[in-house]
Amino acid sequence: MSDDTVITTLQASAPRRLFAYGAVFALGALLVLLAFFQPPAFGWQLFLIALGAATLVLAERLRRSSRLGLILTETDLRDTSGVVLTTLDNVKGVDRGALAFKPSNGFVLRLKTPQERSWVPGLWWRYSKRIGVGGVTPSGASKFMAEQIAMRIDND
């Protein structure tokens, strides 16, 4: 088996992407509308406008990033744009239980060495020695990817 052989992929479905984008966009729009139609004190109005604008920016970032997917190969986990999340030899464990601090429908990878912070809304985040995968991804495909990673790190 070659190192670039794809073991599994994880992609968000269109309905999940649309629902997530719509929910975040609606929140941002409601915050901005609230600031103008029910104006509180000036400071709070500015706060609502800023928070609403930031939420709208987040919605757009979610829309763009959820087009990406994740690819698991024999050597690493990467997204479809080519960004390597981690190599499999750096993975210490996989947390996918109900009480794990993980994204919705996803799992968390515990790493041996810290990595640079990064976040792709709705798909994955990386902070220090943890990578969270999930959000708008389907639970069955996420579970399969987590099991494949766990199988490969247990063999080392």
Side-chain angles (χ1 to χ4, degrees), residues 2-155:
S2 138
D3 287 344
D4 285 338
T5 302
V6 174
I7 297 164
T8 185
T9 60
L10 184 59
Q11 190 83 32
S13 66
R16 286 178 183 272
R17 290 182 58 222
L18 183 63
F19 179 77
Y21 171 72
V24 177
F25 182 85
L27 174 63
L30 286 173
L31 287 170
V32 171
L33 288 173
L34 181 64
F36 289 111
F37 289 123
Q38 294 288 329
F42 182 71
W44 285 110
Q45 186 177 24
L46 287 179
F47 175 74
L48 285 174
I49 293 169
L51 188 61
T55 306
L56 291 172
V57 168
L58 177 64
E60 177 59 19
R61 191 164 172 217
L62 172 71
R63 185 189 68 79
R64 290 180 184 187
S65 67
S66 63
R67 283 191 233 159
L68 297 174
L70 294 176
I71 300 170
L72 177 65
T73 66
E74 286 292 333
T75 57
D76 58 28
L77 177 63
R78 66 181 75 170
D79 69 16
T80 53
S81 70
V83 175
V84 175
L85 279 64
T86 188
T87 57
L88 290 184
D89 60 358
N90 189 30
V91 177
K92 187 196 293 188
V94 180
D95 292 336
R96 55 186 175 227
L99 299 178
F101 178 70
K102 62 182 178 60
S104 173
N105 294 328
F107 57 92
V108 171
L109 299 176
R110 286 179 285 114
L111 306 177
K112 296 174 185 171
T113 59
Q115 301 290 314
E116 179 182 322
R117 256 185 297 173
S118 189
W119 180 40
V120 176
L123 197 56
W124 62 271
W125 53 261
R126 179 174 55 207
Y127 184 79
S128 187
K129 290 186 173 185
R130 298 205 184 274
I131 296 176
V133 174
V136 295
T137 58
S139 61
S142 295
K143 184 177 181 180
F144 181 72
M145 181 176 275
E147 289 170 356
Q148 291 297 313
I149 293 171
M151 258 182 13
R152 279 159 177 74
I153 62 170
D154 287 345
N155 293 333

